[in-house]
Structure formats: C-alpha cells, structure tokens
Amino acid sequence: EIVLTQSPGTLSLSPGERATLSCRASQSVSSSYLAWYQQKPGQAPRLLIYGASSRATGIPDRFSGSGSGTDFTLTISRLEPEDFAVYYCQHYDTSPQWTFGQGTKVEIK
Amino acid sequence: EVQLLESGGNLVQPGGSLRLSCAASGFPFDSYAMSWVRQAPGKGLEWVSAIVSGGDSTYYANSVKGRFTISRDISKLYLQMNSLRADDTAVYYCAKYRSWNFDLWGRGTLVTVSS
C-alpha cells in the first residue's frame, strides 16, 4: 500500500507570498494518478490539480502542480485571502484503492 | 445545476446500521463511477468505497470491507453501513469519479456512532 506523506503540516504565510507544499509517496507512482484538493472549513474538498500538473476546471493559474516519481509539489504563486485552507494530495492505484495524504494547512501569518 | 446531495446521517449506537443516500443532478449520473469518502472529526480524508457506472463492480477500503455495501440506482448512490463502530464516526461525502480522481463532491452527511 502506498503511503502519501505531506509536508509541512502547517504553513504560515502572508497574502501575496508564495506557498510550496510537498507530497511524498512511499514508492514511485505514475504522475497520471496524483491529484491535489483544497478544503475550507465546513466545506467539501475541491479538486485543484489532476495528473500531477493539470488544473481542474475553473482553478486559477496561480495554482500549479509538478513532480514525478515519489516527489510532488503544489505551488500557489501568490496567496489570495481565499487560499488559506487545508490541501490534500491523493493517489490512485490499480487495486483499486485511493489514498490521501494527511493534509497541509496553509494559515495566515 | 451540477450537484450531489447526501442524506441519511444520524446518531447510531455501536453495532447498529445506517443507510446513506446521495442524490445526483445536472450530469448523466449513470455514466460515471461514484465513491464515498469520509472524514473523521478534525482528521483527514479517507476513501471508503467505489462503484463503477453500471453498478456491477464495487470496491472497499479494508477498514469497512464486510460491513459496508455500496449500491446505486438510476439517480442515487447508497451506502449501507452495518456493524457500526465508534471509529466510523465521520462526515461522509459522496464524490463523482473521473480519471483517477474525484471532480465533484457533495456537502457531506454526519454519522455519529455512540452509545
């Protein structure tokens, strides 16, 4: 079973700053199967990035995803007030099983 | 409007049963695989179960296998939960599945397992 480890647990930044979130897989995975979600308090998760680097419909271009193998990154180029939230990475394997990372909270500094 | 709306969450005693429903609208429901994902209070996301578009294949997380059953009809998704335990307490989300990820989520329904 693949384990996804996200870091840091919490990221304290100011609006306008750049956010870099990491997701590390316990073994090499296909980029096609790696996604990122945003979840705000009291709301359902929202798909941001699929296939490691493709933005979902309606997602602003300040969100970008990259990576391959075991290391993946979600970057928010300039934080807007509405971007402060928890972010999860997610992987699909062919069992099939779907696995989520434990989340990174981006909070206002 | 494209949306998913869950219902059926409630307070139930350990060992009890509950059936969740998810009503879909605004998209061809029968063309998509669907899933349930849960989130325990203050915790992260955990995939629970999935069903293919035709309903003839189902998949479960090890934590619920043998206790939960996913099913669907022409416009709704269901999750029958039996032998409930305290660690099943969570918000249960219905999610539309597309290309290895979940591109539409409902608002969730809360299941509390407690005596």
Side-chain angles (χ1 to χ4, degrees), chain A residues 32-33 35 37 39 43-47 50-51 88 90 92 95-98 100 102, chain B residues 37 39 43-47 50 59-61 93 97-98 100-103 105-107:
Chain A
S32 297
Y33 299 158
Y37 299 84
Q39 187 178 34
Q43 296 186 17
R46 175 175 71 148
L47 178 66
Y50 64 93
Y88 295 94
Q90 171 252 312
Y92 162 84
S95 302
Q97 294 283 312
W98 291 262
F100 291 90
Q102 82 280 18
Chain B
V37 178
Q39 186 169 36
K43 302 297 184 182
L45 301 169
E46 179 189 17
W47 172 75
Y59 308 97
Y60 299 93
Y93 295 102
Y97 179 74
R98 186 186 70 86
W100 309 296
N101 50 64
F102 308 107
D103 66 346
W105 297 64
R107 302 183 73 170

Side-chain angles (χ1 to χ4, degrees), chain B residues 38-59:
Chain B
R38 69 184 180 184
Q39 186 169 36
K43 302 297 184 182
L45 301 169
E46 179 189 17
W47 172 75
V48 172
S49 182
I51 186 167
V52 300
S53 57
D56 49 346
S57 292
T58 58
Y59 308 97

Side-chain angles (χ1 to χ4, degrees), chain B residues 11-68:
Chain B
L11 171 64
V12 61
Q13 291 189 341
S17 297
L18 208 56
R19 189 194 198 202
L20 306 183
S21 299
C22 170
S25 59
F27 67 96
F29 175 73
D30 55 359
S31 296
Y32 290 93
M34 298 292 295
S35 257
W36 290 96
V37 178
R38 69 184 180 184
Q39 186 169 36
K43 302 297 184 182
L45 301 169
E46 179 189 17
W47 172 75
V48 172
S49 182
I51 186 167
V52 300
S53 57
D56 49 346
S57 292
T58 58
Y59 308 97
Y60 299 93
N62 290 335
S63 58
V64 306
K65 200 171 294 183
R67 301 186 299 121
F68 289 12

Side-chain angles (χ1 to χ4, degrees), chain A residues 11-63:
Chain A
L11 198 51
S12 298
L13 295 167
S14 300
E17 290 194 292
R18 181 185 188 89
T20 304
L21 288 67
S22 173
C23 176
R24 178 162 289 177
S26 56
Q27 59 187 275
S28 183
V29 301
S30 168
S31 298
S32 297
Y33 299 158
L34 198 287
W36 290 91
Y37 299 84
Q38 176 194 65
Q39 187 178 34
K40 297 179 182 179
Q43 296 186 17
R46 175 175 71 148
L47 178 66
L48 294 176
I49 301 288
Y50 64 93
S53 60
S54 298
R55 276 186 299 277
T57 303
I59 302 303
D61 60 7
R62 64 180 180 272
F63 291 92

